[in-house]
Amino acid sequence: MKIELLEAGLYNVPLQVPLSDSTHGQMPHFELITVRLGDDQGLTGLGYTYTVGRGGGAILSLIRKDLAPVLLGQDPRRIERLWQAMWWALHYSGRGGQASLALSALDVALWDLAGKRTGEPWWRLLGGCRDRVKVYAGGVDLHFSLEELLEQHRRYLELGFGAVKMKVGRESLAEDLSRVAALREAIGPEVPLMVDANMGWSVDRAVRASRALAELDVYWLEEPTDPDDVRGHRRIAQRGALPLALGENLHTVAEFQRYIAAGAVDFPEPDLSNCGGVTAWLKIARLAEAFNLPVTSHGVHDLHVHLLAAVPNASYLEGHGFGLEAYLAEPLRIEAGFAYPPLRPGHGVELDWDRLSACRED
Amino acid sequence: MKIELLEAGLYNVPLQVPLSDSTHGQMPHFELITVRLGDDQGLTGLGYTYTVGRGGGAILSLIRKDLAPVLLGQDPRRIERLWQAMWWALHYSGRGGQASLALSALDVALWDLAGKRTGEPWWRLLGGCRDRVKVYAGGVDLHFSLEELLEQHRRYLELGFGAVKMKVGRESLAEDLSRVAALREAIGPEVPLMVDANMGWSVDRAVRASRALAELDVYWLEEPTDPDDVRGHRRIAQRGALPLALGENLHTVAEFQRYIAAGAVDFPEPDLSNCGGVTAWLKIARLAEAFNLPVTSHGVHDLHVHLLAAVPNASYLEGHGFGLEAYLAEPLRIEAGFAYPPLRPGHGVELDWDRLSACRED
């Protein structure tokens, strides 16, 4: 069996409402990088990754110029072998960064092929621990007015989400606290409420915030400070009063190992679109399991719903489509607090290529 | 003052003799990525980075598409501010990897502009601690026959190098040991001799090798195992008998901080072409100094000679031009064990663009 075809493309996907957080500012569009791998049996696997606006051209170049020669002609069933070959092909200028995103898209396509070959949906192929997962709505709403913020989260609960997350990191901590208090008041005491600082705080502010936010029964505090600072996160975990979630900016299994072994994270949050695909995501989930930690996810909910359903230590799925909803044949089914992985083979995502062609960049 | 021009190019630089090590196999050419920054006073700064063969197209895309808009129109004197802006612009898909190499090339060009603006050569502009540095020859010779190996190192000593380094990581440890013993015999007891395993060993083999190599008076053991394994390197340092050098595959200041704070490296070896340029290299050198460690370098000797001359805690400069020698107006002066930074403003490197045009890729 051989990989015979590799096609890749770059798209600028517009967001209906520009998103905003404490580090990335306003994000009017996301870059979507797609890959299609075809084998000599006539099957096609789809993979994709995205950025918050920059680096997509580089990722496309890595896929087309550097990784295509590594994959073409190889047996698509030997995913671990191909993953290692891609990792080492880009190691000198890689070991994370754009290389991890390129590798992620290709690994997802290889796993999609595996699902299609066997007829199995990912969640069952990879363990099938449950057939639905708890889902929260990830709001990207730092610069929303209080009214817009409350309205957004009211809508999330109506749509069937069982928990919600809001951004923090406004000018003053007092302002953050009053917005979180208002949302807690609006959703009542039963709905889990997460907050996400997107690396915006110093360690000392994060410790103070953690203690104050605990009074509002916050479920987790996400990415309080710079992801390069493992020791800082451990200090926040030890001196603060809330569990920590993080991982969307960690691009390798080794980076998760350091956080987990240091006791600097409570909810590891790997993103299969930037940590090295399904192959790396599962290793991180197993590592977390061995340390008695749950695992959660970041964005790309159509794919992560399968992975969280597959493993025993699943926490909440982040419900967040990053504008891709408009380009899908079938959106994720979310009802009464749960998301349901589809029964279609592989990940079961089909993109609307006609519609996407309007925002093609390369 | 404003940056008005940014030009970038990608070249495949052939190597006269294909290089080889335990991880990268045969390397017939290197990718060279160049940038020229022009200010509104008519000055031009030159920067460059390279890869061992893959990822160059991605680095070029990051420079042209993503980082050019960050720099154009800005004051080139505010290097730290621009560095931070570039780092955060690429953070989501970066934090290392190809982003670090793109940033390195641009930071080098900014510092070259600073030198040209003041008329000072880098080594004096940045501290001027000494006007020459000890230099060793970095052999990339794993697959050389014993005869070729000895001949190469005899030539290095004739050329004026004061110390030499050879590759290890052959099939058996016994083979490595006999090659090192033969070279030690050939160069005599006075010449410092380093060895470089290029990540090829497991921790346990590295510990055994370290003890055996110490009997041959090896100066340092370089990159014994995977650079993602900080704890493994600490075990090798503690259980073995040789100091460790590493850093060519670490792409951020934070990665060096982890190795240094863990006591897992004795000779930090940042490479300004992949760790974030002069700005990051100097931070790593200061960090090493605060921990009472020397600092060494990796490749790119025409630029590193300045930085090692500038700082108080310099160890040896690695003499290794990676094929670029043939494209330089003036090669580095090496005599009686020392390398001499030029007195020309900035880094003082001028590329032979006519000659390079023959290997231009983009």
Side-chain angles (χ1 to χ4, degrees):
Chain A
M1 201 175 291
K2 274 187 188 167
I3 300 170
E4 288 198 330
L5 172 129
L6 187 158
E7 281 177 1
L10 171 63
Y11 304 84
N12 267 345
V13 175
L15 293 163
Q16 284 151 328
V17 179
L19 304 179
S20 58
D21 70 36
S22 70
T23 292
H24 303 102
Q26 293 278 330
M27 295 167 272
H29 71 267
F30 279 25
E31 292 176 313
L32 174 72
I33 301 95
T34 61
V35 291
R36 283 190 285 190
L37 289 181
D39 70 13
D40 57 2
Q41 317 291 302
L43 291 177
T44 304
L46 168 69
Y48 50 97
T49 183
Y50 71 92
T51 81
V52 298
R54 293 199 189 87
I59 294 163
L60 192 68
S61 170
L62 293 171
I63 292 171
R64 284 185 182 160
K65 195 172 168 220
D66 300 305
L67 296 178
V70 176
L71 291 184
L72 288 168
Q74 301 300 311
D75 184 340
R77 292 170 298 192
R78 299 182 63 184
I79 299 180
E80 183 71 38
R81 181 172 170 276
L82 296 176
W83 196 99
Q84 297 292 333
M86 293 191 282
W87 172 263
W88 286 104
L90 289 181
H91 189 273
Y92 182 81
S93 64
R95 271 189 71 244
Q98 284 74 27
S100 281
L101 279 75
L103 177 46
S104 296
L106 290 163
D107 181 84
V108 164
L110 287 167
W111 278 103
D112 191 34
L113 267 179
K116 286 176 170 153
R117 196 181 306 121
T118 56
E120 285 294 308
W122 271 8
W123 66 275
R124 214 158 53 198
L125 181 68
L126 299 171
C129 206
R130 62 184 66 77
D131 60 8
R132 61 181 197 173
V133 299
K134 291 182 295 180
V135 61
Y136 77 89
V140 186
D141 45 26
L142 186 66
H143 297 303
F144 282 20
S145 69
L146 184 59
E147 205 165 87
E148 289 167 334
L149 178 76
L150 298 181
E151 171 54 25
Q152 171 182 253
H153 288 277
R154 185 161 43 234
R155 208 166 54 242
Y156 284 151
L157 297 179
E158 276 171 23
L159 288 170
F161 289 99
V164 294
K165 186 173 82 183
M166 64 175 279
K167 298 295 185 191
V168 290
R170 304 271 295 197
E171 195 65 26
S172 79
L173 182 52
E175 203 183 346
D176 279 325
L177 292 172
S178 88
R179 285 163 67 90
V180 177
L183 183 55
R184 168 52 78 206
E185 175 75 23
I187 62 177
E190 300 296 329
V191 178
L193 167 58
M194 297 85 162
V195 303
D196 185 354
N198 286 97
M199 318 174 267
W201 287 337
S202 62
V203 171
D204 81 283
R205 177 177 275 211
V207 169
R208 238 174 307 127
S210 171
R211 291 181 183 170
L213 288 164
E215 305 290 316
L216 300 167
D217 197 19
V218 162
Y219 194 84
W220 73 48
L221 169 59
E222 189 164 326
E223 269 207 325
T225 195
D226 193 318
D228 277 318
D229 189 6
V230 181
R231 288 164 184 240
H233 280 91
R234 188 173 51 196
R235 290 213 305 287
I236 298 166
Q238 290 176 341
R239 300 182 191 174
L242 288 177
L244 300 185
L246 63 88
E248 72 184 78
N249 283 297
L250 305 183
H251 296 318
T252 67
V253 176
E255 292 197 287
F256 280 92
Q257 174 264 310
R258 259 173 240 128
Y259 268 94
I260 290 172
V265 63
D266 300 280
F267 291 89
E269 184 186 345
D271 179 337
L272 90 169
S273 73
N274 70 33
C275 76
V278 175
T279 299
W281 196 98
L282 287 174
K283 290 180 186 182
I284 294 160
R286 300 327 190 187
L287 175 68
E289 183 187 358
F291 277 81
N292 194 28
L293 293 176
V295 64
T296 175
S297 66
H298 171 252
V300 205
H301 61 204
D302 300 289
L303 305 185
H304 285 128
V305 67
H306 288 281
L307 303 190
L308 286 168
V311 303
N313 53 324
S315 172
Y316 280 88
L317 170 74
E318 181 182 34
H320 203 314
F322 290 129
L324 201 60
E325 310 83 66
Y327 302 90
L328 295 181
E330 295 228 29
L332 180 64
R333 180 181 152 217
I334 292 171
E335 268 175 44
F338 290 91
Y340 292 80
L343 284 163
R344 301 183 290 277
H347 51 57
V349 171
E350 278 182 61
L351 294 175
D352 182 340
W353 297 103
D354 280 347
R355 205 152 172 209
L356 269 175
S357 66
C359 49
R360 181 142 190 174
E361 285 281 300
D362 195 356
Chain B
M1 200 175 293
K2 276 187 188 167
I3 301 169
E4 289 198 330
L5 173 128
L6 187 158
E7 280 176 2
L10 171 63
Y11 304 85
N12 268 346
V13 175
L15 293 164
Q16 284 152 330
V17 179
L19 304 178
S20 58
D21 70 36
S22 69
T23 293
H24 303 102
Q26 294 278 330
M27 295 167 272
H29 72 266
F30 279 25
E31 292 175 313
L32 174 71
I33 300 95
T34 62
V35 291
R36 283 190 285 191
L37 289 182
D39 69 14
D40 55 3
Q41 318 289 303
L43 291 176
T44 305
L46 168 69
Y48 51 96
T49 183
Y50 70 92
T51 80
V52 299
R54 292 198 189 88
I59 295 163
L60 192 67
S61 170
L62 293 172
I63 291 171
R64 284 184 181 160
K65 195 172 167 219
D66 300 306
L67 295 178
V70 176
L71 291 183
L72 288 169
Q74 300 300 312
D75 184 340
R77 293 170 297 191
R78 299 181 63 182
I79 300 178
E80 183 72 39
R81 181 173 169 276
L82 296 176
W83 197 99
Q84 297 293 334
M86 292 191 284
W87 173 261
W88 286 104
L90 289 181
H91 189 273
Y92 183 81
S93 64
R95 270 188 74 244
Q98 284 75 26
S100 281
L101 280 74
L103 178 45
S104 296
L106 289 164
D107 181 84
V108 164
L110 287 168
W111 278 102
D112 192 34
L113 267 179
K116 286 176 170 155
R117 197 180 306 122
T118 57
E120 286 293 309
W122 272 6
W123 65 275
R124 215 159 50 198
L125 181 68
L126 299 171
C129 206
R130 61 184 67 76
D131 59 7
R132 61 181 197 173
V133 299
K134 292 182 294 180
V135 61
Y136 78 88
V140 186
D141 46 25
L142 185 66
H143 299 301
F144 283 19
S145 70
L146 184 59
E147 206 164 86
E148 290 167 332
L149 177 77
L150 298 181
E151 172 54 25
Q152 171 183 253
H153 288 276
R154 185 159 45 233
R155 209 167 51 244
Y156 284 152
L157 296 179
E158 276 170 23
L159 288 171
F161 289 97
V164 293
K165 186 173 81 185
M166 65 174 280
K167 298 295 185 191
V168 290
R170 303 273 293 198
E171 195 65 26
S172 79
L173 182 51
E175 203 183 347
D176 279 325
L177 291 172
S178 88
R179 286 165 65 90
V180 176
L183 183 55
R184 167 54 78 206
E185 175 74 24
I187 62 177
E190 300 296 329
V191 178
L193 168 57
M194 297 85 161
V195 305
D196 186 354
N198 286 96
M199 318 173 268
W201 288 336
S202 62
V203 171
D204 81 283
R205 178 178 274 210
V207 169
R208 240 174 306 128
S210 171
R211 291 181 183 169
L213 289 164
E215 304 290 314
L216 299 167
D217 197 20
V218 162
Y219 195 83
W220 73 47
L221 169 58
E222 188 164 327
E223 268 206 326
T225 196
D226 194 316
D228 278 317
D229 189 4
V230 181
R231 287 164 185 241
H233 279 91
R234 188 173 50 194
R235 291 213 304 286
I236 297 166
Q238 289 176 340
R239 299 182 192 174
L242 288 177
L244 301 185
L246 63 88
E248 74 185 76
N249 282 297
L250 304 184
H251 296 319
T252 66
V253 176
E255 291 197 287
F256 280 92
Q257 174 263 310
R258 259 174 240 128
Y259 268 94
I260 290 173
V265 63
D266 300 280
F267 290 89
E269 184 186 344
D271 179 336
L272 91 168
S273 73
N274 69 33
C275 76
V278 175
T279 299
W281 195 99
L282 287 173
K283 290 180 186 182
I284 295 159
R286 300 330 190 185
L287 174 69
E289 183 187 359
F291 276 82
N292 194 29
L293 293 176
V295 64
T296 176
S297 65
H298 170 252
V300 205
H301 61 203
D302 300 289
L303 304 185
H304 285 128
V305 67
H306 288 280
L307 303 190
L308 287 168
V311 302
N313 53 325
S315 173
Y316 280 89
L317 171 74
E318 181 181 35
H320 203 312
F322 291 127
L324 201 60
E325 310 82 67
Y327 302 90
L328 295 181
E330 296 227 29
L332 180 64
R333 182 180 150 217
I334 292 171
E335 269 175 45
F338 290 91
Y340 293 80
L343 284 163
R344 301 184 290 279
H347 51 56
V349 172
E350 277 181 62
L351 295 175
D352 182 339
W353 297 103
D354 280 347
R355 204 149 175 214
L356 269 176
S357 66
C359 49
R360 181 144 189 172
E361 284 281 300
D362 195 356

